[in-house]
């Protein structure tokens, strides 16, 4: 999906086009540029641009994006270098997120949507090896997922390096005792991860990997989740920590994806905070927009406008009638 060479690679600043007087009821409450964390996965890129478009055209704000991955963006949110983190995957990023909350420098505005995480194989792989049903079965099938760089072992494609989900995926890898039969491969970027998966899928090669939803990839490909033991709160809490001493098998929980704000920014901008608290996107709607963007080769800002055009009944509820009308006119 060709989202965001602009967003991930540079500092982009845009300004609402309407006159300041038009924003009397919903004017921007800060007279500086509002900074968003620009994390590289598809849903975040689109969520950021949806929120930026609304702030610029509904409230007359100036916005910019600072590229980075979860942990770095969260650190920037605490420092005040970043005002808005559009997606906090609260279970995957649990330890650093809870530490950040305790400082009082960041706050939860609301829940953007419900996410999900899992380990997947293609359906054609599941049909080839019907006995492969669970993550714990993988050692018996290591030869089917051969690692080209380490003969004799299979390759498991984990979470991209630097993401909060990397710790959990690595700890589950240990919990299922895969180290003797598999290598844990951490793609350098989300794009590299997606490219590896789609390349294998097109060639009908067997591959096992971590992924999350909402994403266009899970919607586009016919995939099967590997079974895991029932969700265990205590086990998962340890598994999310980089230094978990005793990882244990546990399914991923449903993952509330939160909108987070810098606390000082929130105090300065109560009306904008109210807006962010109302942002809630239906995963099915986001999946459809992400799939559209993939098919069209669209950038994240184009995908954001597509969402705003297609689902006004959803996002209009986040705004006053006047602000919503200004956004519609800008489309």
């Amino acid at each position: 999906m060709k989202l965001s060479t602009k967003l991930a690679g540079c500092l982009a600043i845009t300004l609402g086009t309407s006159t300041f007087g038009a924003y009397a009821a919903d004017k921007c409450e800060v007279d500086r540029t509002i900074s968003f964390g620009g994390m590289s996965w598809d849903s975040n890129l689109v969520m950021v641009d949806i929120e930026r478009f609304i702030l610029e055209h509904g409230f007359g704000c100036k916005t910019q994006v600072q590229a980075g991955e979860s942990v770095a963006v969260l650190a920037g949110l605490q420092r005040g270098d970043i005002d808005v983190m559009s997606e906090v995957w609260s279970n995957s990023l649990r330890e650093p997120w809870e530490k950040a909350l305790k400082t009082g420098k960041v706050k939860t505005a609301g829940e953007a949507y419900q996410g999900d995480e899992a380990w997947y194989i293609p359906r054609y792989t599941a049909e080839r090896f019907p006995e492969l049903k669970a993550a714990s079965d993988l050692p018996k099938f290591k030869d089917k997922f051969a690692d080209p760089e380490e003969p004799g072992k299979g390759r498991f494609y984990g979470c991209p390096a630097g993401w909060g989900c990397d710790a959990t995926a690595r700890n589950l890898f240990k919990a299922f005792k895969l180290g003797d039969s598999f290598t844990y491969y951490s793609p350098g970027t989300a794009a590299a991860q997606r490219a590896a998966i789609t390349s294998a899928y097109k060639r009908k090669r067997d591959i096992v990997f971590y992924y999350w939803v909402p994403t266009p990839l899970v919607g586009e490909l016919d995939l099967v989740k590997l079974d895991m033991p029932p969700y265990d709160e205590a086990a998962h809490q340890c598994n999310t920590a980089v230094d978990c001493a005793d990882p244990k098998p546990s399914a991923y929980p449903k993952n509330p994806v939160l909108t987070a704000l810098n606390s000082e920014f929130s105090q300065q901008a109560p009306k904008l905070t109210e807006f962010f608290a109302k942002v809630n996107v239906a995963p099915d709607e986001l999946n459809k927009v992400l799939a559209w963007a993939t098919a069209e080769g669209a950038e994240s800002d184009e995908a954001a406008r597509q969402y705003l055009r297609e689902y006004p009944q959803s996002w209009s509820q986040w705004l006053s009638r006047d602000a919503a009308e200004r956004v519609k006119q800008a489309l």
Side-chain angles (χ1 to χ4, degrees), residues 246-294:
D246 186 21
K248 288 185 170 60
S250 169
Y252 288 93
K254 292 296 181 181
N255 204 330
V257 179
L258 309 176
T259 305
L261 304 177
N262 172 269
S263 296
E264 185 175 347
F265 166 74
S266 179
Q267 291 172 358
Q268 295 169 349
K271 287 187 180 296
L272 295 181
T273 298
E274 183 180 352
F275 156 70
F276 284 113
K278 293 179 180 178
V279 171
N280 185 266
V281 176
D284 286 348
E285 293 177 356
L286 189 53
N287 272 330
K288 288 176 182 176
V289 169
L290 293 172
W292 173 88
T294 299

Side-chain angles (χ1 to χ4, degrees), residues 109-284:
E111 183 178 303
Y113 57 82
Q114 277 278 339
D116 195 15
E117 300 169 272
W119 289 12
Y120 292 94
I121 56 174
R123 185 168 299 280
Y124 59 76
T125 297
E127 291 172 349
R128 286 171 183 166
F129 314 114
E131 294 181 356
L132 174 54
K133 297 184 181 300
S136 58
D137 296 329
L138 284 169
K140 295 180 288 187
F141 296 89
K142 64 178 184 177
D143 295 340
K144 310 304 180 185
F145 303 97
D147 188 326
E149 298 178 8
E150 193 163 346
K153 285 191 172 185
R155 173 179 285 189
F156 173 78
Y157 286 82
C159 181
W163 288 21
C165 54
D166 191 37
T168 308
R170 286 182 183 275
N171 281 324
L172 282 172
F173 185 86
K174 295 175 185 176
F176 289 116
K177 304 186 186 308
L178 297 179
D180 291 337
S181 53
F182 275 76
T183 58
Y184 181 98
Y185 181 80
S186 182
T189 64
Q193 183 190 36
R194 179 183 173 87
I197 295 166
T198 54
S199 176
Y201 191 91
K202 288 177 182 177
R203 292 166 174 78
K204 293 292 188 287
R205 293 178 180 170
D206 300 310
I207 186 169
V208 56
F209 56 93
Y210 161 89
Y211 225 75
W212 68 98
V213 292
T215 56
L217 182 138
V218 174
E220 294 163 13
L221 308 184
D222 191 2
L223 304 175
V224 175
K225 285 184 182 181
L226 289 178
D227 292 337
M228 292 186 180
Y231 172 65
D232 182 306
E233 169 67 22
H236 180 73
Q237 187 164 355
C238 186
N239 291 343
T240 62
V242 174
D243 57 355
C244 177
D246 186 21
K248 288 185 170 60
S250 169
Y252 288 93
K254 292 296 181 181
N255 204 330
V257 179
L258 309 176
T259 305
L261 304 177
N262 172 269
S263 296
E264 185 175 347
F265 166 74
S266 179
Q267 291 172 358
Q268 295 169 349
K271 287 187 180 296
L272 295 181
T273 298
E274 183 180 352
F275 156 70
F276 284 113
K278 293 179 180 178
V279 171
N280 185 266
V281 176
D284 286 348

Side-chain angles (χ1 to χ4, degrees), residues 11 28 45 256 287:
L11 186 67
C28 197
L45 299 175
N287 272 330

